[in-house]
Amino acid sequence: MTEFDLQQTKQDVLDYCLLSMRYGLNFNTQGNISVRLPGTDRFLITPTDLEYDRMTADDMVVVDADANVVEGPHQPSSEVTVHLAVYRRRPDVNAIVHTEPIFANVFGVAGQPITGALVNMVIYTKGDVPIMPFALSNRTEFGDAMCDVMGDLNAVVWANHGLLTVGENLRDAFKTTVAVESAAKVLVHARALTDKPIVLDYNSLGITTSL
């Protein structure tokens, strides 16, 4: 597209919301997705407390950098300030996906980082996925602390809560979500066979391109 299409972006966000349900990454009203609107200081985010299978593209909410609603029939996700903290700290990030997948959450409950069981996860995340200690996530302070934990990686697990991934675009952010959950699942099963599973280190791979 040579010109930004807001309506198509709303539909894209909805499509990935529904895909997250189909992949078993979210349930009920859990999770949220946002994108940075190019050339502006505004952001598109899913509404609060609305099931994805009841949601339409027109239910999406546009907010400004202070989380004020600019457009949309609902209030934004209760974790909007977390998203905004990421966008402030990470100019390379244009999309954020927050989900609550089971196997990533296993590592959050255990307080253990998700190490590089699968090469695609390592490439997408740029390293082991760290754990953000538990705190209530509906406040800016949580977002700032989470950014400190995540650093320049593309994923972080919220202890006792869920997974957040980021990307240059929505597709990349969602691919990272799927890759992290897949690696977490493999790692859980691998640890049933051995206490020393083979894992990969991003810095030793010499990666110059993405999969």
Side-chain angles (χ1 to χ4, degrees), residues 180-193:
V180 170
E181 176 65 355
S182 297
K185 185 174 183 178
V186 167
L187 198 54
V188 165
H189 288 294
R191 286 181 175 177
L193 300 177

Side-chain angles (χ1 to χ4, degrees), residues 60-199:
M60 302 302 165
V61 185
V62 177
V63 298
D64 65 17
D66 296 315
N68 298 308
V69 175
V70 175
E71 177 185 326
H74 306 285
Q75 289 300 304
S77 165
S78 61
E79 291 161 342
V80 61
T81 57
V82 177
H83 289 242
L84 295 177
V86 176
Y87 289 124
R88 282 194 299 272
R89 295 274 291 270
R90 293 281 299 271
D92 60 310
V93 169
N94 294 314
I96 298 170
V97 175
H98 166 47
T99 55
E100 302 195 14
I102 292 171
F103 285 91
N105 270 336
V106 167
F107 285 86
V109 171
Q112 299 177 11
I114 303 172
T115 52
L118 299 177
V119 66
N120 62 339
M121 189 208 86
V122 177
I123 293 174
Y124 296 157
T125 59
K126 299 184 179 179
D128 295 346
V129 181
I131 308 299
M132 167 67 186
F134 178 77
L136 295 178
S137 58
N138 59 349
R139 56 194 68 183
T140 302
E141 293 81 2
F142 178 90
D144 288 330
M146 184 201 71
C147 287
D148 290 340
V149 172
M150 182 168 63
D152 60 358
L153 299 169
N154 289 331
V156 59
V157 173
W158 303 356
N160 307 92
H161 187 152
L163 169 68
L164 181 135
T165 62
V166 303
E168 185 178 350
N169 53 61
L170 185 51
R171 180 173 179 264
D172 286 352
F174 191 82
K175 282 168 61 180
T176 301
T177 297
V178 175
V180 170
E181 176 65 355
S182 297
K185 185 174 183 178
V186 167
L187 198 54
V188 165
H189 288 294
R191 286 181 175 177
L193 300 177
T194 175
D195 58 359
K196 294 181 179 180
I198 299 170
V199 294

